[in-house]
């Protein structure tokens, strides 16, 4: 069986000629004017929007998009006013693309214009990782949805929503549950459980993302204190967000590739729906932790897992970093990324904290399809926020006979 997945393709328009640049800008400006006019007139039905936008020189693909979008602004999005930088929206009939490997930029898009015979073609620089889906659009194996065209200071970007079928994941026999813990020092930590034993853990360092977030916060604050031009602040913000997006994409892809090496994999993630409400480690730590999009990384991981046909489950997130994965006892984190089990009869003595958390996450998956509820007896975790930090690992021999040690070094 298969199911439909929705994804947004992103492309940058090759630098247009002066004439095409003017036509693109005129199209965007006219669309925004029509959008504000319909919104200010409180048009709340397709017919009412049509009455407002009909006189504007816009292609029918843009007018149809306005008729669908404007009524939702107040009823669905509760908008009280509009931003001046809305992208140009087009319905899927504007998704006319062509490809030739003889061109410098293989893919081209036919830009819709008002009037007959006025459309023009423009080359696209597509994301290489999404190239196969662009070909699927051409072959109609994927179906185009809404298009959005936005101008940045030095470039134009086109976003195309596509729907395409993927094989629906089934309940595998004898599944391998693989837990993923998302954190700050270790961006993502994965651990597979086979017969309740952790196997071949993976860690992706978060040092680069941590450095970028700190630099972004400092740079933007300095620019704002100097009353820098708004475009300069936006440009720097976009720079950092693009860099962080790249990190998220690479980390989520690495996580799915890790899961695929196991037989019948099932990915298990923490339910972080209320992470902002649950975190309370003081103003400084809260700013750092809230600045990182935990759910964003999980979302991209789930998207890639779905495309790969891997089932994803969510489990209770409570105490995963403070419980021994082997015996279930509450332990302590003697160092930032070291978990210590206090139970003398447990074969675990010290363990890398994030791998321990990932193993707990995997262990909470219920083979009957529901997350396992877990109630701790007490909370021995540190109160300074260190329970959410982590680092990379090496293994060493335990000083306690018959017990396992997996401790840490700093990155």
């Amino acid at each position: 069986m298969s199911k439909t997945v929705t994804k947004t393709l992103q492309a940058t328009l090759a630098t247009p000629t002066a004439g095409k640049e003017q036509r693109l800008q005129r199209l965007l400006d006219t669309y925004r004017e029509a959008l504000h006019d319909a919104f200010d007139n409180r048009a709340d039905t397709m017919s009412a929007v049509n009455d407002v936008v009909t006189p504007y020189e816009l292609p029918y693909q843009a007018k149809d998009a306005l008729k669908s979008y404007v009524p939702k602004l107040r009823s669905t999005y509760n908008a009280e006013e509009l931003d001046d930088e809305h992208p140009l929206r087009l319905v899927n009939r504007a998704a006319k693309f062509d490809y030739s490997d003889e061109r410098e930029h293989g893919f081209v898009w036919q830009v819709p214009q008002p009037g007959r015979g006025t459309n023009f073609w423009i080359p696209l620089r597509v994301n290489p990782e999404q190239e196969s889906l662009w070909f699927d659009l051409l072959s109609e194996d994927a179906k185009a949805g809404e298009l959005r065209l936005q101008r940045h200071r030095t470039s134009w970007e086109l976003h195309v929503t596509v729907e395409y079928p993927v094989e629906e994941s089934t309940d595998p026999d004898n599944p391998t549950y693989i837990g993923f813990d998302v954190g700050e020092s270790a961006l993502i930590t994965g651990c597979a459980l086979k017969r309740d034993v952790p196997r071949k853990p993976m860690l992706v360092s978060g040092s680069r993302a941590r450095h970028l977030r700190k630099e972004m916060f400092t740079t933007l604050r300095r620019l704002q204190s100097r009353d820098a031009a708004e475009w300069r602040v936006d440009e720097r913000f976009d720079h950092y967000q693009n860099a962080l997006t790249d990190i998220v994409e690479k980390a989520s892809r690495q996580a799915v590739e890790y899961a695929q090496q196991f037989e019948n994999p099932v990915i298990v993630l923490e339910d972080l729906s209320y992470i902002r409400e649950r975190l309370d480690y003081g103003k400084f730590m809260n700013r750092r932790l809230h600045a990182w999009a935990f759910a964003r990384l999980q979302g991209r991981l789930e998207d890639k897992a779905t495309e790969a046909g891997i089932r994803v489950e969510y489990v209770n997130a409570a105490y995963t970093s403070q419980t021994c994965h082997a015996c279930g006892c509450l332990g302590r984190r003697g160092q930032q990324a070291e978990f210590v089990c206090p139970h003398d009869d447990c074969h675990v003595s010290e363990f890398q904290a994030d791998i321990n958390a990932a193993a707990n996450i995997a262990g909470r998956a219920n083979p009957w399809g529901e997350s396992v509820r877990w109630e701790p007896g007490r909370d021995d975790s540190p109160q300074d926020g260190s329970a959410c930090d982590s680092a990379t690992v090496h293994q060493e021999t335990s000083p306690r006979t018959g017990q396992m040690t997996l401790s840490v070094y700093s990155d």
Side-chain angles (χ1 to χ4, degrees):
M1 293 180 61
S2 63
K3 66 176 181 178
T4 301
V5 173
T6 301
K7 190 169 187 174
T8 299
L9 303 183
Q10 180 177 331
T12 302
L13 273 59
T15 304
T17 62
K20 289 183 178 180
E21 179 99 38
Q22 290 175 359
R23 295 166 74 183
L24 286 168
Q25 189 62 55
R26 184 166 57 246
L27 179 62
L28 180 58
D29 291 342
T30 305
Y31 173 87
R32 288 173 175 170
E33 186 179 349
L35 171 64
H36 281 268
D37 194 1
F39 181 78
D40 293 341
N41 278 280
R42 306 189 73 84
D44 56 2
T45 65
M46 295 183 70
S47 176
V49 176
N50 184 63
D51 291 341
V52 175
V53 303
T54 294
Y56 285 90
E57 287 193 74
L58 288 170
Y60 70 88
Q61 299 95 331
K63 290 181 178 180
D64 286 350
L66 283 168
K67 287 187 284 186
S68 174
Y69 178 59
V70 174
K72 300 176 184 176
L73 286 170
R74 285 194 169 92
S75 62
T76 303
Y77 304 125
N78 298 318
E80 296 181 359
E81 59 181 77
L82 294 184
D83 187 275
D84 292 332
E85 299 300 316
H86 264 66
L88 166 67
R89 293 171 183 261
L90 301 162
V91 296
N92 61 358
R93 282 170 288 173
K96 294 183 179 179
F97 303 100
D98 186 52
Y99 176 82
S100 172
D101 56 11
E102 296 180 359
R103 292 191 288 257
E104 179 183 358
H105 303 291
F107 289 94
V108 293
W109 173 47
Q110 188 180 73
V111 182
Q113 294 284 289
R116 184 179 297 273
T118 57
N119 297 352
F120 62 89
W121 293 92
I122 194 163
L124 300 177
R125 298 188 180 98
V126 305
N127 182 344
E129 295 182 4
Q130 298 178 338
E131 190 175 84
S132 62
L133 280 175
W134 285 100
F135 282 114
D136 287 345
L137 271 180
L138 294 176
S139 65
E140 299 184 353
D141 289 335
K143 180 181 178 182
E146 185 181 69
L147 286 75
R148 298 183 188 183
L149 180 67
Q150 180 67 289
R151 180 172 188 173
H152 299 290
R153 195 175 67 88
T154 58
S155 64
W156 292 83
E157 280 193 3
L158 177 68
H159 291 183
V160 184
T161 302
V162 297
E163 293 182 351
Y164 58 99
V166 297
E167 287 300 317
E168 189 169 8
S169 56
T170 57
D171 294 337
D173 296 328
N174 191 25
T176 301
Y177 291 106
I178 304 162
F180 285 100
D181 180 56
V182 178
E184 192 189 18
S185 292
L187 188 59
I188 188 166
T189 306
C191 185
L193 284 188
K194 271 294 189 182
R195 292 184 290 276
D196 296 327
V197 177
R199 301 291 177 88
K200 301 179 182 178
M202 64 152 282
L203 291 99
V204 177
S205 173
S207 58
R208 174 62 178 161
R210 190 166 63 246
H211 170 76
L212 283 172
R213 295 201 311 277
K214 181 179 178 180
E215 184 179 299
M216 177 176 66
F217 177 80
T218 304
T219 301
L220 296 182
R221 183 171 60 179
R222 184 173 64 250
L223 288 173
Q224 290 169 341
S225 68
R226 294 177 178 176
D227 292 326
E230 185 176 349
W231 68 263
R232 188 177 295 277
V233 177
D234 291 342
E235 183 182 64
R236 296 311 298 165
F237 178 79
D238 289 342
H239 164 76
Y240 289 114
Q241 288 301 306
N242 289 338
L244 288 169
T245 297
D246 183 62
I247 290 173
V248 166
E249 291 299 312
K250 290 178 180 177
S252 55
R253 181 172 62 250
Q254 185 175 342
V256 172
E257 290 172 352
Y258 165 77
Q260 287 176 315
Q261 69 178 299
F262 297 97
E263 187 177 358
N264 301 324
V266 174
I267 289 176
V268 189
L269 302 173
E270 291 180 302
D271 182 359
L272 301 178
S273 303
Y274 305 101
I275 186 170
R276 287 178 181 267
E277 289 73 20
R278 289 200 300 265
L279 289 174
D280 187 15
Y281 296 123
K283 182 177 180 180
F284 175 69
M285 278 300 296
N286 281 350
R287 178 177 66 78
R288 291 174 64 197
L289 295 171
H290 292 177
W292 177 245
F294 293 98
R296 180 182 172 193
L297 178 53
Q298 283 195 341
R300 293 304 294 139
L301 198 165
E302 182 175 6
D303 290 343
K304 288 181 171 61
T306 300
E307 292 175 13
I310 301 175
R311 194 172 87 238
V312 177
E313 294 185 7
Y314 284 86
V315 298
N316 188 342
Y319 298 95
T320 53
S321 64
Q322 301 153 37
T323 310
C324 178
H325 69 272
C327 69
C329 288
L330 276 168
R332 66 181 187 277
R333 299 182 70 150
Q335 296 181 13
Q336 181 173 337
E338 179 182 280
F339 173 82
V340 179
C341 180
H343 197 272
D344 291 335
D345 295 333
C346 180
H347 68 276
V348 171
S349 57
E350 299 171 356
F351 214 81
Q352 205 282 337
D354 293 288
I355 297 177
N356 178 70
N360 276 320
I361 293 168
R364 290 188 184 182
N366 188 328
W368 303 106
E370 298 180 357
S371 62
V372 177
R373 184 174 178 81
W374 186 84
E375 295 290 346
R378 59 192 179 91
D379 182 2
D380 288 342
S381 63
Q383 301 301 308
D384 61 357
S386 60
C388 287
D389 287 339
S390 57
T392 50
V393 306
H394 75 279
Q395 295 186 8
E396 62 183 33
T397 305
S398 170
R400 293 162 63 178
T401 304
Q403 294 194 328
M404 181 186 300
T405 297
L406 187 59
S407 57
V408 308
Y409 65 84
S410 173
D411 67 340

